[in-house]
């Protein structure tokens, strides 16, 4: 289970890294230095959020599937609340372009999540173990 999860996470992270690099370039092209800073902050925020989730869910998976699901849902809710707080704090910022920050964060989140869905569908994981082990 953990090996399959690690494969999916690595593939999703690679897709998100490519999309993040493209968004940093796009942010620099559209918004200059402030756009570049906003895009870099957006990519860093998404990387930190998904990194925390990967560590937390990976550790919880060693305990049981129920703990893993509860941890995944808990980290998801916490990330949403923190993201709402940060967007509210950054919306009037003059140090960077908040629109490019938000756009970059949304695009990176969608790329990572979409890659997870596609990788999971292509992996064809068994949901029942053939050896009967629980």
């Amino acid at each position: 289970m953990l090996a399959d999860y690690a494969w999916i996470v690595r593939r999703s992270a690679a897709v998100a890294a490519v999309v993040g690099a493209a968004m940093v370039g796009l942010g620099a092209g559209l918004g200059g230095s402030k756009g570049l800073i906003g895009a870099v902050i957006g990519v860093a925020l998404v990387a930190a959020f998904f990194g925390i989730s990967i560590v937390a869910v990976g550790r919880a998976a060693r305990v049981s599937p129920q703990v893993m699901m509860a941890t995944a849902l808990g980290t998801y809710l916490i990330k949403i609340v923190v993201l709402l707080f940060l967007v509210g704090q950054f919306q009037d910022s003059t140090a960077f372009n908040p629109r490019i920050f938000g756009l970059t964060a949304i695009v990176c989140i969608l790329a990572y999540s979409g890659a997870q869905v596609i990788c999971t569908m292509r992996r064809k994981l068994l949901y029942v173990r053939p050896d009967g082990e629980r």
Side-chain angles (χ1 to χ4, degrees), residues 42-126:
V43 169
L45 181 73
V46 171
F49 276 10
F50 281 114
I52 290 167
S53 291
I54 290 165
V55 170
V57 172
R59 288 185 183 204
R62 292 185 178 109
V63 177
S64 74
Q66 293 82 8
V67 174
M68 183 176 80
M69 180 58 102
T71 303
L73 290 173
T75 58
Y76 178 76
L77 290 173
I78 290 169
K79 288 188 298 187
I80 293 295
V81 170
V82 170
L83 183 61
L84 286 173
F85 173 76
L86 291 175
V87 167
Q89 294 297 314
F90 290 157
Q91 70 183 358
D92 296 325
S93 176
T94 58
F96 61 90
N97 190 326
R99 288 182 183 224
I100 293 178
F101 160 75
L103 179 65
T104 300
I106 289 170
V107 169
C108 288
I109 289 167
L110 291 175
Y112 184 86
S113 298
Q116 271 193 323
V117 169
I118 291 169
C119 289
T120 302
M121 288 171 47
R122 288 186 180 168
R123 192 68 176 176
K124 297 183 183 177
L125 301 174
L126 297 174

